[in-house]
Amino acid sequence: MVFTYGWDTGPVTQEIDLSALEVPASPDEFDVDPPFDPAEGALPAERFLDRELSWLAFNERVLELAQDSSLPLLERVRFLSIVGSNLDEFFMVRVAGLKRRIAAGVAVPSASGLNPRDVLARSLTQSHALMTAQSHTFADDIVPALHEAGIELVHWDDLTGQEQEQLGAEYRERIFPVLTPLAVDPAHPFPYISGLSLNLAAVIRNPTTGKEHFARVKVPPIIDRWMEVAPGRRVPVEQVIAAHLGLLFPGMEVVAHHTFRVTRNEDLEVEEDDAENLLKALEKELLRRRFGPPVRLEVEETIDEEVLELLVTELGVSADEVFRLRGPLDLRSLGEVADIDRPELRYEPFVPGTHEHLAEVETASPADMFRALRRRDVLVHHPYDSFATSVQRFIEQAAADPHVLAIKQTLYRTSGDSPIIDSLVDAARAGKQVLVLVEIKARFDEQANIRWARKLERAGCHVVYGLVGLKTHCKLALVIRDEPDGLRRYAHLGTGNYNPKTARLYEDLGLLTSHPDITSDLLELFNSLSGFSQQDGYRQLLVAPHGVRDGLIERIDAEIAHHRAGRDAAIRFKVNSLVDEGIIDKLYEASRAGVPVDLVIRGICSLRPGVPGLSENIRVRSVLGRFLEHSRVYWFAGGGEPQAWIGSADLMHRNLDRRVEVLVRVPTEQHVGELGDLLVRMSDDDSTSWHLDADGAWRRHVGEFHVQDELVERARRRRRSGNPS
């Protein structure tokens, strides 16, 4: 799912007690006293943190940003919206998966030692505490702060008579015609409640018979959630609908009404044997997704017990899947509030510039990308370096250049009005050979990717869907160009999607290169993805599912050997998630050997740092800020000859075993040094970040600087001075 992130950090002002978010104590809680004795041989069974609980802890960190009064107010509102979106996905995918495993009798304990029932129980407890804290943050902190800033989020009863009359007229004109009341009686069964929809449960009385009935009214999702009654004054649309329920049930008495929301299992399970069957199966599964079993019921805390009992019975949810919350429900909608045109309540605007080595070849016309890449490799760092004037321009020039013979590219996610898709279409129509590997199983983007695939096919592109049983997650583009000295290949290998919109919000890295070994490797890889091949060895690439885990373990072993030989040895990784037990155990081995290990992990971490005798040489940091940290970097000191690898692969089972992932060795010594310095800066004790303790708790550390602020200011100085260096 694609979320809009807009982050920055600063001192925390925390008014809500989040102690309830800690994982409940249990007999198998990890004990670091006495320390692990490596002489005894076997590693301790409790050395892994649970991935689901670690994911919830990540959202606790996002909530802390929403509670931070030093941040711009509308950015805090957006963080609160992000927490809601993330929790929706957690229930649709992770909680639903746990329930499937339990129902199927697959009760094998996870690496953390918890069985699925324990993980589910703890996840529900922790997420309930998190959602409660989120709702209180909104009501007690955000709403008063918005009011003080001139943005009022009010209740229907707070409106003046004139305002109510105004909204009543708008309701009759725009909302009433699209509402469909659904009654429940012997002739009308309980209606299907779609996932993530906002609903009103109404209790209606017949004044003649005195009999009460239940009815459901769905809040139309195409209508703005927060209706503006006056500049800076908004009311939730469900309250406007509730105030006019009598129009939907003429002649009846409205006894009560309550808001509720259901979350369903919306993960997809598709088996495929060929491309066309895969498309049809996926389209069918997308229809089925709407009817997945419920995994969460959200209700307002004031709901009548009789109405709640009816919802619980008809939906088939358990008591611990019911979340009674202080309204309003569905705080994802706060994204509408965050978009209010009040620039003084947001981060100072930042416009990325052209990378210095591409700016060198800019004249009155756009930069000649091929000329630039013949001179040197270019390592772009988004959003500090413009995506539009680097990666997007690379594809656009390739499509328009008459000397380009072929373009080969992977697409995992892209924007709704993608200029990259348009460029590939133009290239195919111009007679170029265009191969596009579309990953139509990219979660929550399946429908959009099916649409892109059809459009590309109609334009004459060769569209393939990768290897059976594997998602293709790597971000690659290869261009073959006819030049005076023969064919030359140019490439882009990135850590993020080919999406111009998220490239302004996500931190990512990309290598633009004409390096012969890298481009040759890519040619062979694309041939294996579109044809038949048993190749799993490359010169400058590590390719999953066969090569990434083994390649990283081999390099960790090399660092251990360097350290024992007295040479420079260090390991620095930056990833979104660290879950894979094989990699974690190898990092423990490196720590026990004395190799310093610094890990910058945005989200999930199953490794326990700082455990005496096991991981005392490992530090784990999490950096959250204005931009979503998304790049993956693997840096090794190499005995004095450092090397760095970048790519799209996180250290998770799905990335290493069930996806086509690519890590590329960065060939330029200067770039390797820059990446190493970046990771040092992000791990610095003077940098604002969260620190992970051995017990699994994250502590926020407010330092003297924030890495993202430094990079933004550096980019601004370059633009102001006109000097790219």
Side-chain angles (χ1 to χ4, degrees):
M1 185 177 288
V2 177
F3 304 122
T4 303
Y5 288 78
W7 295 1
D8 204 350
T9 52
V12 175
T13 301
Q14 186 167 316
E15 300 178 357
I16 292 179
D17 181 12
L18 289 177
S19 59
L21 293 175
E22 297 297 329
V23 179
S26 69
D28 61 352
E29 196 69 43
F30 187 78
D31 187 9
V32 298
D33 186 20
F36 166 65
D37 181 3
E40 295 181 2
L43 295 172
E46 307 90 347
R47 64 192 183 275
F48 301 114
L49 298 168
D50 186 80
R51 61 159 293 164
E52 315 298 352
L53 304 181
S54 181
W55 192 95
L56 287 169
F58 160 65
N59 282 282
E60 178 185 342
R61 302 198 291 279
V62 180
L63 180 60
E64 287 185 54
L65 293 177
Q67 296 167 338
D68 186 347
S69 61
S70 72
L71 299 184
L73 180 56
L74 291 182
E75 305 297 348
R76 297 173 59 197
V77 173
R78 196 176 301 282
F79 288 133
L80 209 57
S81 171
I82 290 168
V83 173
S85 296
N86 287 354
L87 284 170
D88 284 349
E89 182 176 3
F90 180 72
F91 276 89
M92 289 189 292
V93 178
R94 304 308 307 177
V95 171
L98 286 168
K99 291 188 68 175
R100 278 201 307 270
R101 290 174 61 191
I102 293 169
V106 184
V108 178
S110 66
S112 66
L114 299 175
N115 64 49
R117 291 185 183 277
D118 291 336
V119 175
L120 178 60
R122 294 190 184 198
S123 295
L124 292 173
T125 298
Q126 191 166 330
S127 57
H128 204 151
L130 181 56
M131 292 171 65
T132 300
Q134 179 198 22
S135 64
H136 281 275
T137 297
F138 172 71
D140 299 334
D141 189 1
I142 296 297
V143 169
L146 287 169
H147 183 87
E148 187 175 340
I151 301 173
E152 298 180 81
L153 303 183
V154 299
H155 296 278
W156 173 262
D157 293 337
D158 298 328
L159 300 177
T160 67
Q162 182 179 354
E163 289 173 332
Q164 290 184 352
E165 184 177 342
Q166 173 188 332
L167 281 184
E170 185 175 351
Y171 167 83
R172 291 177 176 84
E173 178 69 25
R174 294 183 54 246
I175 300 176
F176 176 76
V178 300
L179 296 179
T180 303
L182 296 174
V184 176
D185 60 24
H188 301 85
F190 190 85
Y192 175 79
I193 310 297
S194 55
L196 302 187
S197 64
L198 192 63
N199 305 272
L200 288 173
V203 179
I204 309 299
R205 179 187 296 128
N206 186 320
T208 303
T209 65
K211 188 174 182 180
E212 293 185 350
H213 303 271
F214 173 88
R216 174 257 190 156
V217 179
K218 179 179 178 179
V219 177
I222 61 173
I223 296 174
D224 289 344
R225 174 72 182 283
W226 296 91
M227 296 185 66
E228 187 173 26
V229 64
R233 191 165 166 86
R234 286 169 168 78
V235 64
V237 65
E238 67 270 21
Q239 293 188 14
V240 179
I241 295 173
H244 297 86
L245 282 175
L247 296 178
L248 287 172
F249 304 98
M252 305 290 283
E253 298 175 0
V254 179
V255 178
H257 57 80
H258 308 282
T259 309
F260 71 97
R261 184 172 183 258
V262 176
T263 310
R264 296 182 176 275
N265 173 4
E266 296 201 16
D267 203 11
L268 298 180
E269 298 180 60
V270 178
E271 299 294 333
E272 76 274 10
D273 49 16
D274 63 63
E276 190 59 32
N277 286 344
L278 172 59
L279 275 179
K280 292 178 179 178
L282 189 55
E283 288 172 324
K284 181 178 179 180
E285 187 72 0
L286 285 168
L287 294 175
R288 185 206 62 79
R289 171 190 272 176
R290 298 167 50 200
F291 302 94
V295 293
R296 178 179 60 170
L297 170 63
E298 298 170 79
V299 298
E300 289 189 302
E301 57 189 4
T302 56
I303 192 170
D304 291 343
E305 292 301 325
E306 295 82 2
V307 175
L308 178 59
E309 182 179 355
L310 173 66
L311 292 174
V312 168
T313 301
E314 292 291 345
L315 293 169
V317 296
S318 60
D320 56 1
E321 293 170 335
V322 177
F323 290 72
R324 300 184 72 144
L325 301 167
R326 187 174 178 179
L329 305 180
D330 188 10
L331 293 182
R332 294 179 310 165
S333 64
L334 290 177
E336 294 178 16
V337 179
D339 288 337
I340 291 175
D341 187 18
R342 291 286 299 276
E344 75 278 12
L345 300 180
R346 291 201 186 88
Y347 293 121
E348 182 183 349
F350 170 69
V351 179
T354 301
H355 187 281
E356 57 189 291
H357 293 151
L358 299 178
E360 290 176 353
V361 291
E362 276 191 326
T363 57
S365 59
D368 184 337
M369 298 295 297
F370 304 119
R371 178 185 169 199
L373 298 184
R374 285 194 296 271
R375 288 183 175 183
R376 58 166 69 87
D377 296 331
V378 177
L379 183 70
V380 287
H381 193 189
H382 312 302
Y384 313 105
D385 297 319
S386 169
F387 180 88
T389 60
S390 56
V391 180
Q392 183 176 319
R393 182 172 292 169
F394 174 63
I395 303 299
E396 290 173 343
Q397 286 195 0
D401 190 329
H403 299 292
V404 168
L405 305 179
I407 302 173
K408 304 187 179 190
Q409 186 169 357
T410 62
L411 285 178
Y412 193 75
R413 305 183 198 274
T414 189
S415 59
D417 53 349
S418 173
I420 288 179
I421 295 285
D422 292 339
S423 294
L424 295 173
V425 167
D426 290 343
R429 288 175 176 168
K432 295 176 173 38
Q433 290 291 313
V434 179
L435 171 71
V436 187
L437 196 150
V438 179
E439 181 46 75
I440 58 174
K441 292 187 294 178
R443 179 177 287 154
F444 301 120
D445 272 350
E446 298 94 347
Q447 194 68 57
N449 285 5
I450 289 174
R451 186 169 64 252
W452 295 133
R454 299 294 195 197
K455 179 177 180 178
L456 291 164
E457 284 177 330
R458 288 194 298 268
C461 299
H462 301 294
V463 179
V464 297
Y465 306 101
L467 304 178
V468 173
L470 299 173
K471 277 189 179 182
T472 303
H473 188 250
C474 47
K475 287 50 169 157
L476 312 171
L478 180 66
V479 172
I480 295 91
R481 190 169 188 264
D482 188 9
E483 300 187 351
D485 56 350
L487 295 184
R488 184 187 290 265
R489 296 180 294 265
Y490 300 86
H492 170 262
L493 304 92
T495 66
N497 298 306
Y498 290 103
N499 188 324
K501 293 184 177 178
T502 58
R504 295 192 291 267
L505 301 168
Y506 287 20
E507 178 274 342
D508 270 305
L509 291 160
L511 177 66
L512 289 157
T513 182
S514 61
H515 191 287
D517 285 345
I518 293 175
T519 57
S520 178
D521 280 350
L522 279 185
L523 184 62
E524 294 171 4
L525 176 59
F526 272 110
N527 287 341
S528 71
L529 292 174
S530 63
F532 294 101
S533 172
Q534 294 295 319
Q535 178 167 339
D536 55 14
Y538 299 88
R539 290 166 287 272
Q540 295 290 116
L541 306 180
L542 297 177
V543 180
H546 304 294
V548 173
R549 181 189 286 107
D550 290 346
L552 292 176
I553 286 176
E554 178 183 335
R555 282 152 185 81
I556 296 172
D557 280 335
E559 293 305 303
I560 295 172
H562 287 314
H563 179 77
R564 288 172 175 165
R567 296 186 291 269
D568 289 343
I571 297 169
R572 301 171 196 157
F573 288 176
K574 178 180 182 295
V575 294
N576 296 335
S577 301
L578 171 58
V579 173
D580 187 77
E581 292 85 11
I583 297 289
I584 292 174
D585 279 346
K586 186 56 66 171
L587 292 172
Y588 284 148
E589 183 180 338
S591 173
R592 291 163 61 193
V595 178
V597 178
D598 283 321
L599 305 174
V600 180
I601 301 175
R602 186 192 79 218
I604 302 170
C605 180
S606 295
L607 178 147
R608 296 182 185 270
V611 179
L614 178 67
S615 57
E616 68 267 33
N617 291 311
I618 302 178
R619 298 188 305 168
V620 178
R621 305 288 186 257
S622 181
V623 176
L624 306 181
R626 174 174 185 163
F627 306 118
L628 176 71
E629 294 291 332
H630 192 250
S631 64
R632 292 85 162 183
V633 183
Y634 302 91
W635 186 96
F636 304 91
E641 298 180 2
Q643 60 177 269
W645 301 72
I646 65 170
S648 56
D650 281 311
L651 299 178
M652 306 178 74
H653 306 137
R654 70 186 187 198
N655 297 90
L656 304 182
D657 299 325
R658 301 191 298 277
R659 289 182 172 183
V660 178
E661 297 276 16
V662 171
L663 298 182
V664 58
R665 181 170 178 173
V666 177
T668 304
E669 183 178 342
Q670 177 186 344
H671 294 156
V672 173
E674 291 172 358
L675 292 172
D677 292 343
L678 174 65
L679 299 192
V680 166
R681 200 67 173 151
M682 298 187 82
S683 300
D684 194 313
D685 284 336
D686 288 332
S687 173
T688 292
S689 62
W690 279 260
H691 298 184
L692 179 61
D693 293 332
D695 62 359
W698 290 89
R699 294 181 297 103
R700 189 173 187 192
H701 173 76
V702 179
E704 297 178 1
F705 67 92
H706 192 288
V707 169
Q708 292 186 0
D709 292 341
E710 283 194 338
L711 293 170
V712 165
E713 186 53 36
R714 182 188 304 173
R716 284 176 174 152
R717 285 198 304 268
R718 289 174 177 172
R719 287 179 65 86
R720 286 194 297 264
S721 66
N723 179 6
S725 61

